[in-house]
Amino acid sequence: QRGIWFFSSYPEVELETVTVNVTIQDFVADVVSELVFRNVQQVPKETMFIFPVDSNTVVDTFHATMGDSCIEAMLWEKEEAQKLYKATPGMENLRYLQDQWDLWGRVFACFLGTLPPNGEVTISLCYVQELPLQPDGAAQFCWPHELFPWIKYPSDSSHLCLPAGQISSKEMSKNLHFSISLKSARGVSHVVINSSYTPLQYTASDQTSAQVFLKSSPWLQDDLNLMVYYKGPHTLSAVVERGDPKAPPGSLLGQPVVMLTLMPNIPEVVPSPGHLGEFLFLMDCSLFQDAQLPHLSSAHPSICPQNTLLFLLKSLPLGCYFNIYSFGATFKAFYPQSVEYTQENMDSAVGRISSIRPDLGGCDLLGLLRSIYSTPLLYGHPRQLFIFIQRKVSSEEEAVMAEVCRYRDHHRCFCFPANRCVNFHLSQAIALETKGECVCIHSRVDMTSEAVKCLQRALQPVASGISLHWDLPPGLEVSLIRKAPETIFQGHQSSIYAQIHGQAQDAKVDEGAATLQYHVGNQFFNYTLRFSLSPSSDDRLPVHRMALMQLLWERAWEGTSRAEKDTWQSAVKSSLTLGVPSPFTSSVAVRMKHRDAWHRDSLPPDSSMLPSPSCNLVPCQLLWLRGFRPVLFESTKFWMVQKCQLCLEMLSHKAPDTETLTQLSTYCKAFNISWDWAISPLASRLCDFSGLRALVALQKANGSWALSTALASALGLSKADTEGQRPSEDVEPAVWATVLALVWLHKYKWKVLWSELLEAKACRWLQDQAEVQLDECLEAANSLLGCFVEPTVFSM
């Protein structure tokens, strides 16, 4: 869908010209853009600018030029801005937009007014943002396809035989000006762009800076994806930015700021995993409504949430911590605080699952999250939440996200919204903010398989016990603005900010160092990076802007208010000076003649100085949209609509065939969409699920099984058969029982994909037993169960 940047203007307002200058330093991007739109109709059109804002993006400049007037967005102190809103006509339109438009999430919105026939509006937009780390070590920058000009095809149909790229390049060269400057003290290696571009040109002999230009936009509906690869190791990088010489001495703006990006090297396999984490399962009680029906008790193991909890509990490793919460109008915890995963605690939790009762009242997710966040973290055990939700979280979405953002460095969330859940957008934002995953459960048949797959990811090795040590020349010291997290999950990075104070005693010493230390399991890692303290100046101060945003939010979360006058005034002044939105300020737009335009190197004028406020103020505000279609706030993908939402909704009302689901899954992966349709239930109906559930319920916390009548029944055998076929008396009954259960599980592995963690636990337990005759046990188990399982089953 085009025209999403202009409310109610598609397709009459076209994007004609785009000028973008991007400067990327390691993992921070500074974007200065100009967009020219034109009303191609012969009637006036009301236009509005919409720009999503995620937690890693700071929009510092916005103004729109139409004719001889200019609309400029400014920041005011919050209470003063509230007074201006009352004097601004049309603010009710923003409220209508907030509740009625079909997009969701936090956006910057500004009404631009009436665009006359053939009239132009020029949008100037500047922002900075942190860039995400890709698995191969690249920094990723995205620019949405909606912000590329239309490709005007020749009217002569013979031209359509030309390759698509030729048409695009020819047409776009006139109205696309896209330059990318790259900087890194480690050196720029190469770039990969899904569009035609000029060869990488180095602008420094040591290859620490380079430049590249786009020749055309990506083809069709592709967003621009730029991958920047740097030289050297990727464990740690530093960007040091000089302060503003005009800023007051000692202030944040007047001192250098360093941005450190931590990218721990985490091995795929850790011989001694050590502490494995704290796992919290949050279950919406409304999910248990159908599960109370007696005829579902022996159905597919993932058809009800009780069975999902059973599989999750049985799949946890010894030594971790866990707790289960049920929530509705109120919330309850199985334990006052998380408990260690032992046989006794696991048995207790399994026994209490059936006590969860349906609750169709309210949905106090906010209260539950606040309760969880108020409990202290367990040292060495990264906190991970599994949230299963079906009901609407009333109108508290913004408050929920504020809490999640506040503690985003302390935990990770895996979210499972139900098929018709109106909270899908909220669930996805929670998962993205905490670097987790969101999977829509299109039917409860998928719940267990999807939950266990996410648990597999949650059990991957992590970097924990992270510490950072500084070594600066005498006379200099650092104060942290955003601290390093205690844990960094595999495949992710964390950026911290610090202010450099003081004056070096020896002016000739212009180098500092930072040492990163962390553990992965019982392995210790230590990496030191030396960096220059004499960087080139940057008038736009992108690192300072990002650091200031972190500082302002930290102060808001700490409860800084007007009562703390000095701290509060300093925060407000810094926010206004750099144009960085904060909890202490609000946006207001003013329509001015060009000669009266406000210059960004000064603070906004006092509201009393604005002549005729009712004529000059323009509806403009940061809003939290509550619509249907979610916006993917995946770091630099600042505008991405869920591309297959409608298709999935349509398919959810009928039973799609395997081929359709496979094609849809491929489509989703191509667009980096986290929807995952599990087709395993379609192939697993032949499995004896009542036996599977009984078998899983009998597995012990350490992964073993006891040789019992119940086990024989679950396997479809008699106790005499299981005891009589034991290879020898030298084989311990528990070893023989565990091999039998493992072989039975493996027999159905291609049908029951979520049994892998259970099998792995069993294998680890068997490997820990002394003098186990596994070959003889396997041969006897294959004979008894009619299987042909290979010995490789024990090497999982």
Side-chain angles (χ1 to χ4, degrees), residues 6 21 83 99 144 153 213 472 505 607 621 629 667 703 727 733-734 787:
F6 279 85
N21 296 304
K83 298 176 184 177
D99 294 321
Y153 295 97
F213 299 88
L472 298 180
Q505 296 178 7
S607 59
Q621 200 174 3
R629 284 190 291 127
Y667 176 83
C787 302

Side-chain angles (χ1 to χ4, degrees), residues 45-66:
K45 290 294 175 182
E46 291 293 323
T47 56
M48 180 178 179
F49 187 81
I50 305 291
F51 185 84
V53 182
D54 67 9
S55 61
N56 291 320
T57 302
V58 176
V59 178
D60 59 88
T61 303
F62 169 81
H63 64 263
T65 302
M66 290 192 292

Side-chain angles (χ1 to χ4, degrees), residues 141-253:
F141 172 79
C142 295
W143 182 262
H145 72 272
E146 287 88 355
L147 295 187
F148 284 107
W150 281 87
I151 300 175
K152 298 178 176 62
Y153 295 97
S155 57
D156 182 1
S157 60
S158 64
H159 287 78
L160 296 180
C161 298
L162 291 172
Q166 291 186 18
I167 298 175
S168 175
S169 178
K170 180 179 179 180
E171 294 298 318
M172 299 298 290
S173 59
K174 297 179 296 184
N175 49 12
L176 174 65
H177 311 279
F178 209 115
S179 69
I180 304 163
S181 299
L182 308 171
K183 301 177 182 178
S184 176
R186 293 182 289 160
V188 179
S189 174
H190 63 284
V191 297
V192 174
I193 310 177
N194 63 335
S195 176
S196 59
Y197 58 96
T198 62
L200 188 67
Q201 298 178 348
Y202 289 104
T203 54
S205 58
D206 57 0
Q207 299 186 348
T208 55
S209 63
Q211 196 166 28
V212 66
F213 299 88
L214 293 190
K215 291 182 178 179
S216 67
S217 66
W219 181 240
L220 295 178
Q221 298 298 307
D222 286 346
D223 300 318
L224 175 72
N225 265 289
L226 166 68
M227 304 292 183
V228 186
Y229 294 85
Y230 303 110
K231 298 179 180 179
H234 296 156
T235 306
L236 194 61
S237 72
V239 176
V240 181
E241 186 174 83
R242 285 181 181 173
D244 184 351
K246 295 180 293 183
S251 67
L252 174 66
L253 302 185

